[in-house]
Coordinates of all heavy atoms in Angstrom, one line a residue:
E160 N 240.4 -265.2 235.1 CA 240.6 -263.9 235.6 C 240.5 -262.9 234.4 O 240.9 -263.2 233.3 CB 241.9 -263.7 236.3 CG 242.0 -264.3 237.7 CD 243.2 -263.8 238.5 OE1 244.2 -263.4 237.9 OE2 243.1 -263.9 239.7
V161 N 240.1 -261.7 234.8 CA 240.0 -260.6 233.8 C 240.7 -259.3 234.3 O 240.5 -258.9 235.5 CB 238.5 -260.2 233.5 CG1 238.4 -259.1 232.5 CG2 237.8 -261.4 233.0
W162 N 241.6 -258.8 233.5 CA 242.2 -257.5 233.8 C 241.8 -256.5 232.8 O 241.9 -256.8 231.6 CB 243.7 -257.7 233.8 CG 244.3 -258.3 235.1 CD1 244.4 -259.6 235.4 CD2 244.9 -257.5 236.2 NE1 245.0 -259.8 236.6 CE2 245.3 -258.5 237.1 CE3 245.0 -256.2 236.4 CZ2 245.9 -258.1 238.3 CZ3 245.6 -255.8 237.6 CH2 246.0 -256.8 238.6
L163 N 241.4 -255.3 233.2 CA 241.3 -254.2 232.3 C 242.6 -253.4 232.4 O 243.0 -252.9 233.4 CB 240.1 -253.3 232.8 CG 238.8 -253.9 233.1 CD1 237.7 -252.9 233.5 CD2 238.3 -254.8 231.9
V164 N 243.3 -253.4 231.2 CA 244.7 -252.9 231.2 C 244.7 -251.6 230.3 O 244.2 -251.5 229.2 CB 245.6 -253.9 230.6 CG1 247.0 -253.4 230.4 CG2 245.6 -255.2 231.5
G165 N 245.4 -250.6 230.9 CA 245.6 -249.3 230.2 C 246.8 -249.5 229.2 O 247.9 -249.8 229.7
A166 N 246.6 -249.2 227.9 CA 247.6 -249.3 226.9 C 248.4 -248.0 226.8 O 249.4 -247.9 226.1 CB 247.1 -249.7 225.6
G167 N 248.0 -247.0 227.6 CA 248.7 -245.7 227.4 C 248.3 -245.0 226.1 O 247.4 -245.4 225.4
P168 N 249.0 -243.9 225.8 CA 248.7 -243.1 224.6 C 249.1 -243.7 223.2 O 248.7 -243.2 222.2 CB 249.4 -241.8 224.8 CG 250.6 -242.2 225.6 CD 250.1 -243.3 226.5
G169 N 249.9 -244.8 223.2 CA 250.2 -245.4 222.0 C 251.7 -245.8 221.9 O 252.0 -246.9 221.3
D170 N 252.6 -245.1 222.4 CA 254.0 -245.4 222.4 C 254.2 -246.6 223.3 O 254.0 -246.5 224.5 CB 254.8 -244.2 222.9 CG 256.3 -244.4 222.9 OD1 256.7 -245.6 222.6 OD2 257.1 -243.5 223.1
P171 N 254.8 -247.7 222.8 CA 255.0 -248.9 223.7 C 255.9 -248.6 224.8 O 255.9 -249.3 225.9 CB 255.5 -249.9 222.8 CG 256.0 -249.2 221.6 CD 255.2 -248.0 221.4
D172 N 256.8 -247.6 224.7 CA 257.7 -247.3 225.8 C 257.0 -246.7 227.0 O 257.6 -246.6 228.1 CB 258.8 -246.4 225.3 CG 259.9 -247.1 224.4 OD1 259.9 -248.3 224.5 OD2 260.6 -246.4 223.7
L173 N 255.8 -246.2 226.8 CA 255.0 -245.6 227.9 C 254.1 -246.6 228.5 O 253.3 -246.3 229.4 CB 254.2 -244.4 227.3 CG 255.0 -243.2 226.8 CD1 254.1 -242.1 226.3 CD2 256.0 -242.7 227.9
L174 N 254.1 -247.9 228.1 CA 253.4 -248.9 228.7 C 254.0 -249.3 230.1 O 255.2 -249.3 230.2 CB 253.4 -250.2 227.8 CG 252.4 -251.3 228.1 CD1 250.9 -250.8 227.8 CD2 252.7 -252.5 227.3
T175 N 253.2 -249.5 231.1 CA 253.8 -249.9 232.4 C 254.3 -251.3 232.3 O 253.9 -252.1 231.5 CB 252.7 -249.8 233.5 OG1 251.7 -250.9 233.3 CG2 252.0 -248.5 233.6
R176 N 255.3 -251.6 233.2 CA 255.9 -252.9 233.2 C 254.8 -254.0 233.6 O 254.8 -255.1 233.1 CB 257.0 -253.0 234.3 CG 258.2 -252.1 233.8 CD 259.3 -252.1 234.9 NE 259.8 -253.4 235.1 CZ 260.7 -253.6 236.1 NH1 261.1 -252.7 237.0 NH2 261.2 -254.9 236.3
K177 N 253.9 -253.6 234.5 CA 252.8 -254.5 234.9 C 251.9 -254.8 233.7 O 251.5 -256.0 233.5 CB 252.0 -253.9 236.0 CG 250.9 -254.8 236.5 CD 250.3 -254.3 237.8 CE 249.3 -255.2 238.4 NZ 248.7 -254.7 239.7
A178 N 251.6 -253.8 232.9 CA 250.7 -254.0 231.7 C 251.4 -255.0 230.8 O 250.7 -255.9 230.2 CB 250.4 -252.7 231.1
E179 N 252.7 -254.8 230.5 CA 253.4 -255.6 229.6 C 253.4 -257.1 230.1 O 253.2 -258.0 229.3 CB 254.8 -255.1 229.4 CG 255.6 -256.0 228.3 CD 256.9 -255.4 228.0 OE1 257.3 -254.3 228.5 OE2 257.6 -256.0 227.1
R180 N 253.6 -257.3 231.4 CA 253.6 -258.6 231.9 C 252.2 -259.3 231.8 O 252.1 -260.5 231.4 CB 254.0 -258.6 233.4 CG 254.2 -260.0 233.9 CD 254.6 -260.0 235.4 NE 253.5 -259.7 236.3 CZ 253.3 -258.6 236.9 NH1 254.2 -257.6 236.8 NH2 252.3 -258.4 237.7
L181 N 251.2 -258.5 232.0 CA 249.8 -259.1 231.8 C 249.5 -259.5 230.4 O 248.9 -260.5 230.1 CB 248.8 -258.1 232.3 CG 248.7 -257.9 233.9 CD1 247.9 -256.7 234.2 CD2 248.2 -259.1 234.6
L182 N 250.0 -258.7 229.5 CA 249.8 -259.0 228.0 C 250.5 -260.2 227.7 O 250.1 -261.0 226.8 CB 250.3 -257.8 227.2 CG 249.5 -256.5 227.2 CD1 250.1 -255.4 226.4 CD2 248.1 -256.8 226.7
R183 N 251.7 -260.5 228.3 CA 252.5 -261.7 227.9 C 251.9 -262.9 228.6 O 252.2 -264.0 228.1 CB 253.9 -261.5 228.3 CG 254.6 -260.4 227.5 CD 256.1 -260.4 227.9 NE 256.8 -259.3 227.2 CZ 257.2 -259.3 225.9 NH1 257.0 -260.4 225.2 NH2 257.8 -258.3 225.3
T184 N 251.1 -262.8 229.6 CA 250.6 -264.0 230.3 C 249.1 -264.2 230.0 O 248.6 -265.3 230.4 CB 250.7 -263.8 231.8 OG1 250.1 -262.6 232.3 CG2 252.2 -263.8 232.2
A185 N 248.5 -263.4 229.2 CA 247.1 -263.5 228.8 C 247.0 -264.7 227.8 O 247.9 -265.0 227.1 CB 246.6 -262.2 228.2
S186 N 245.8 -265.2 227.7 CA 245.5 -266.2 226.6 C 244.6 -265.5 225.5 O 244.6 -266.0 224.4 CB 244.8 -267.4 227.2 OG 243.5 -267.1 227.7
V187 N 244.0 -264.4 225.9 CA 243.2 -263.7 224.9 C 243.2 -262.2 225.3 O 243.1 -261.8 226.5 CB 241.7 -264.2 224.8 CG1 241.0 -264.1 226.2 CG2 240.9 -263.5 223.7
V188 N 243.3 -261.3 224.3 CA 243.3 -259.9 224.5 C 242.2 -259.3 223.6 O 242.3 -259.4 222.4 CB 244.7 -259.3 224.2 CG1 244.6 -257.7 224.2 CG2 245.8 -259.8 225.1
F189 N 241.3 -258.6 224.2 CA 240.3 -257.8 223.5 C 240.7 -256.4 223.5 O 240.8 -255.7 224.6 CB 238.9 -257.9 224.2 CG 238.4 -259.3 224.3 CD1 238.6 -260.2 225.4 CD2 237.6 -259.8 223.3 CE1 238.1 -261.5 225.4 CE2 237.1 -261.1 223.3 CZ 237.4 -261.9 224.4
Y190 N 241.0 -255.8 222.3 CA 241.7 -254.5 222.3 C 240.9 -253.5 221.5 O 240.2 -253.8 220.6 CB 243.1 -254.6 221.7 CG 243.1 -255.0 220.2 CD1 243.2 -254.1 219.2 CD2 243.1 -256.4 219.8 CE1 243.3 -254.4 217.9 CE2 243.2 -256.7 218.5 CZ 243.2 -255.7 217.5 OH 243.3 -256.1 216.2
D191 N 241.1 -252.2 221.9 CA 240.4 -251.1 221.3 C 241.1 -250.6 220.1 O 242.3 -250.9 219.9 CB 240.4 -249.9 222.3 CG 239.3 -250.0 223.4 OD1 238.4 -250.9 223.2 OD2 239.3 -249.3 224.4
A192 N 240.4 -249.8 219.3 CA 241.0 -249.3 218.0 C 242.1 -248.3 218.3 O 243.0 -248.1 217.5 CB 239.9 -248.6 217.2
L193 N 242.1 -247.6 219.5 CA 243.1 -246.6 219.8 C 244.4 -247.2 220.4 O 245.3 -246.4 220.7 CB 242.5 -245.5 220.7 CG 241.4 -244.7 220.1 CD1 240.9 -243.7 221.1 CD2 241.9 -243.9 218.8
V194 N 244.4 -248.5 220.5 CA 245.7 -249.1 221.1 C 246.7 -249.0 220.0 O 246.5 -249.4 218.8 CB 245.4 -250.5 221.5 CG1 246.7 -251.2 221.9 CG2 244.4 -250.6 222.7

């Protein structure tokens, strides 16, 4: 499966709970420079 996940503006406290759960269950994360 593939999820496109919004990291928000940068502050980890502004990350959604769903996004954090997906990051913890992923096996690989392809991330942008602005994350």
Side-chain angles (χ1 to χ4, degrees):
E160 284 194 336
V161 179
W162 279 85
L163 309 184
V164 175
D170 181 353
D172 286 343
L173 296 180
L174 195 69
T175 67
R176 293 176 63 187
K177 183 172 184 175
E179 184 172 359
R180 190 181 72 251
L181 289 169
L182 291 174
R183 293 187 183 280
T184 57
S186 62
V187 60
V188 173
F189 297 91
Y190 67 95
D191 280 346
L193 293 180
V194 173

